[in-house]
Amino acid sequence: MTTDFGATRAMFDLPAGVIYLDGNSLGPLPRTAPAAMERVLRAEWGAQLITAWNRAGWMDQPRRLGDRIGRLIGAAEGSVTVGDTLSIKVWQALAAALALRPDRRVILSDSGNFPSDLYMADGLARLMARGHALRVVPPEDVAQAIDASVAVVMLTEVDYRTGRLHDMADLTARAHAAGALTVWDLAHSAGALPVDLAGAGADFAAGCTYKYLNGGPGAPGFLYVRPDHAGAEAALQGWLGHAAPFAFEPGYRPAPGVARMRVGTPPVLQMAVLEAALDVWEGVDMADLRARSIALSEAFRARLARDCPRLALASPADPARRGSQLSFRHPQGYAVMQALIATGVIGDFRAPDLLRFGFTPLYLSMDEVERAADILARLIRDGSWDRAEFHRRAAVT
Ligand SMILES: *Cc1c(COP(=O)(O)O)cnc(C)c1O
């Protein structure tokens, strides 16, 4: 397949004058999403009321959307469910994995992991009160730290700050060789690069849909359970993960397979938007996406290395070792980013000093990436970022 990136770009509504390098944090609006939302509001909720749970297929959304996401991450049909948030899905995956290794007590993660994942692991370990400990090592030390005490290796494949890419297949194989299981966070992987969960033998994986999958602010998370772990314990025993939710039994019986990882009522409106967003992927080949993502980020990197050598790259220079983002260190990174955003080039800032840029081939052109690099280099050279207004901190960076 040869992906037509001109066609995918036409499927997004981007404001004029903006170069959007933050699709790694919040993807832009797919053109068909407002009509999809309107249809669900009026023709389904409005016209069908509660009967839409059956007639409009609302109850099947978590599985239907899960299968569509599954195709982008190398997951078999029926092994992914959609709902809740990524943080919740990480918690569920970890709880299920720990229950499969009852004699072990160590959750191994790395210092590049997203704080919410670490908080969830720490909180779960304390709640279990059975002596579980979260061991956090530097990303480059994970492989050596996998030993026979480790129950679960819990990692984010692409580091949210630096973009550094873990070798999922290698670390999963090492975990398995040591008798441990893996939980992969795909927040910066799903829709960003090819992922092969089945090929890697990953045990559990979770992700979100508002970043590279463009499901909109508040879009739900997803959870993958390797089919042979389908009998894993569902620690959050919500009624929609029950084998027969509408039998309203007083006791919990888990639904077969990944459906037991559903918790409560699905966010139907949000899923309608996500469903429209997933249409964009129909003609996209992930290998094409990866090649173009690398071409875009390399163009940005090369231009800044030439025109702004003082700006320190915080990401791996080798594109094969990073996801679909680049980060740079600048002591006044926050103000530089605000000044850049004021020109219409949108990236984001991550404390303490990172300028972060996402490269999203579905809607970014080479010309835009080069122009964005030129604007950033000029701002840094002429010092025009150093104005009081750009130093004022907002709640979301
Ligand atoms: C964005 C992100 C999250 C966010 O979790 P939510 O529950 O969706 O807010 C978690 N983990 C990683 C690695 C992320 O990048």
Side-chain angles (χ1 to χ4, degrees):
M1 187 199 304
T2 305
T3 306
D4 180 353
F5 289 107
T8 59
R9 176 171 181 112
M11 294 180 194
F12 288 92
D13 244 346
L14 284 152
V18 162
I19 300 178
Y20 196 56
L21 302 179
D22 215 359
N24 53 312
S25 215
L26 177 67
L29 176 67
R31 255 184 220 287
T32 56
M37 178 70 121
E38 173 87 8
R39 191 177 60 249
V40 175
L41 284 170
R42 297 203 181 277
E44 297 182 5
W45 180 26
Q48 301 177 16
L49 296 165
I50 199 167
T51 67
W53 282 107
N54 289 319
R55 287 163 66 195
W58 289 352
M59 206 39 106
D60 300 328
Q61 276 176 326
R63 169 166 180 149
R64 197 167 67 237
L65 273 60
D67 282 342
R68 295 187 71 183
I69 292 168
R71 276 177 241 142
L72 304 177
I73 55 174
E77 292 242 318
S79 62
V80 177
T81 187
V82 177
D84 313 298
T85 72
L86 170 50
S87 302
I88 299 285
K89 283 346 220 184
V90 164
W91 193 95
Q92 287 182 284
L94 188 57
L98 290 174
L100 290 170
R101 289 293 176 272
D103 301 329
R104 298 187 178 201
R105 292 288 177 274
V106 174
I107 303 162
L108 178 66
S109 192
D110 74 48
S111 53
N113 206 345
F114 192 74
S116 194
D117 298 41
L118 300 176
Y119 304 158
M120 283 291 177
D122 178 55
L124 175 60
R126 282 191 290 120
L127 180 68
M128 289 173 76
R130 281 175 33 215
H132 286 91
L134 173 62
R135 186 189 296 161
V136 178
V137 301
E140 58 279 13
D141 294 349
V142 169
Q144 301 95 289
I146 299 173
D147 60 28
S149 69
V150 175
V152 180
V153 180
M154 179 191 79
L155 298 169
T156 294
E157 188 188 21
V158 177
D159 187 306
Y160 74 105
R161 280 179 295 214
T162 65
R164 188 243 339 102
L165 176 65
H166 271 311
D167 185 335
M168 179 188 287
D170 176 64
L171 290 173
T172 299
R174 286 172 189 266
H176 290 167
L181 298 175
T182 53
V183 172
W184 288 97
D185 182 330
L186 304 179
H188 297 277
S189 306
L193 72 171
V195 176
D196 186 6
L197 288 175
D203 299 282
F204 297 88
C208 57
T209 59
Y210 49 81
K211 292 173 178 162
Y212 293 90
L213 296 178
N214 314 304
F222 64 85
L223 176 58
Y224 164 80
V225 179
R226 203 175 73 191
D228 58 310
H229 293 318
E233 199 169 291
L236 284 181
Q237 300 185 162
W239 73 300
L240 288 184
H242 192 281
F246 286 88
F248 296 105
E249 294 169 7
Y252 181 77
R253 282 191 294 125
V258 76
R260 69 184 53 188
M261 298 299 181
R262 291 178 65 164
V263 182
T265 304
V268 172
L269 299 177
Q270 198 75 69
M271 291 222 204
V273 173
L274 175 58
E275 196 150 19
L278 291 173
D279 288 343
V280 176
W281 294 94
E282 289 303 324
V284 176
D285 179 271
M286 296 309 279
D288 291 348
L289 183 92
R290 178 66 168 160
R292 190 165 163 82
S293 148
I294 288 176
L296 292 171
S297 69
E298 279 296 272
F300 192 79
R301 189 181 70 81
R303 226 161 163 95
L304 283 167
R306 184 192 71 192
D307 297 342
C308 197
R310 273 186 304 157
L311 192 61
L313 182 68
S315 303
D318 175 0
R321 302 194 47 219
R322 60 180 193 245
S324 198
Q325 68 173 76
L326 281 175
S327 300
F328 299 87
R329 292 189 198 287
H330 188 287
Q332 293 295 330
Y334 183 80
V336 171
M337 183 53 76
Q338 300 319 302
L340 188 63
I341 291 170
T343 72
V345 177
I346 302 181
D348 62 21
F349 169 75
R350 285 293 173 267
D353 59 356
L354 288 182
L355 299 164
R356 192 173 69 151
F357 302 97
F359 298 89
T360 48
L362 296 185
Y363 48 85
L364 264 183
S365 70
M366 185 60 83
D367 172 62
E368 287 174 310
V369 164
E370 290 175 351
R371 269 191 290 139
D374 290 348
I375 294 168
L376 175 58
R378 177 175 52 71
L379 271 180
I380 291 177
R381 276 199 314 266
D382 70 13
S384 58
W385 56 268
D386 197 8
R387 300 216 311 250
E389 65 199 271
F390 298 137
H391 288 273
R392 225 167 283 130
R393 295 266 172 145
V396 176
T397 64

